[in-house]
Amino acid sequence: MKVLIVEDDADMRRLLKIVMAGLDVDMEEAPDGESAIHSIETSQEPDLVLLDLHLPHISGEEVFDAIRKHSKSAIVIVTADILAAPEFVSKADGVFTKPFKTNELIVKLTSLLSTHRNEAKEE
Amino acid sequence: MFMTQHTPYSVARFDGAIMFNSIRAGLMKTGITKSPIVFFKVRAGAQLHPVWALDNLAMEIYAYCETAKAADVSETHLQVAVTASWVSGENFSNLFATFVEWHIASSELRKRARLISAELINRKGHDWPADELNIPVATVR
C-alpha cells in the first residue's frame, strides 16, 4: 500500500511519516502542490493521500481536485486552516485540524487503509 | 549512512464468536468529522476479547449482530476470524478490527446481514445510532 504525504512543513511531514511508518505502508513525500500532482499523474496511484491545504504555488484545494480527477485514493485533510476545513467534511475521507490527537489519526488511517486493502482483495 | 528504523504497529489475529448482544454502536470523533464505530466482545474459549471497529467494517459487524438478534440464534452463532490492530496509549490498549471473516452456518442470516450492511454503507433506509462513543485512549491528554 502506498501513501502520499503532501505537506510543506518539514517537521509536520516527519511527524506524519512516524505515524504512517507503523502502518507498514510505502510513503512518498511532496513538499508542494506541483510535485503532488506530478506524482499522482506519473507514478503508482496512492491508496491514501494526507493533504495540507496551505501549500506554496498550487493550493491544497486544487491538489484535492486533481487527485479526485486522476485517482480513487482516499484523501485525508490535515490542516491548520480551521476556517477552510469544514468545506471538506463532505468531500474528503477525513479532516483533521492541527493540533490533532495522534491516536484519532492512527485509528482513522488504519480504518481507511484496511477498507482499501479489503476492497482490493475482493476485486 | 544514516538509517531510520521504524517499528510496525502490532497486529492480532484470533478466532471466536461475536457476542452480538454486547454490541454498542455510535459515532467517534476523528478530527473534525465523526466516524461510525462499534464496540463488541469476541468469546474465545474462556476469554472475552473487547474489540472496536470503525467505518464500513463497523457497519458490517453491526448488520450481522442486528440480524443475529432478530433471528434469535444461539449466543455463539456468529463465528468469526478477526484481524485487528492495536491502538494503545500509556494506560490503555485497544484492539481495532481491520478484517472479519464470517464463519456462520446460516446462509439466510448471511444474506440478510449483507443486505443491511450495504444499505447502511450506502446510507439507505437504516439510521446509524448517534450516541458518541470514544476509545479510552483518545480521551487521554
Side-chain angles (χ1 to χ4, degrees), chain A residues 33-84:
Chain A
E34 279 168 343
S35 49
I37 290 173
H38 179 74
S39 169
I40 291 283
E41 288 176 346
T42 58
S43 60
Q44 184 203 338
E45 183 177 315
D47 297 279
L48 190 143
V49 180
L50 287 172
L51 177 65
D52 184 16
L53 291 179
H54 279 191
L55 295 167
H57 314 306
I58 299 176
S59 74
E61 287 89 338
E62 286 174 82
V63 177
F64 183 96
D65 291 339
I67 296 168
R68 277 285 182 260
K69 191 175 168 189
H70 290 282
S71 79
K72 291 178 180 170
S73 311
I75 306 175
V76 173
I77 304 285
V78 181
T79 183
D81 190 350
I82 295 165
L83 293 177

Side-chain angles (χ1 to χ4, degrees), chain B residues 22 30 39 65 69 74-75 79 95 101 118 131:
Chain B
S22 73
T30 48
F39 175 73
C65 288
K69 281 182 200 172
S74 74
E75 199 184 23
Q79 296 287 326
L95 270 174
E101 194 176 315
D131 303 335

Side-chain angles (χ1 to χ4, degrees), chain A residues 87-108:
Chain A
E87 289 179 29
F88 287 86
V89 166
S90 59
K91 294 196 277 186
D93 297 279
V95 182
F96 287 79
T97 53
K98 301 169 194 171
F100 53 83
K101 288 180 185 167
T102 314
N103 273 314
E104 282 183 12
L105 183 63
I106 291 171
V107 165
K108 187 66 186 175

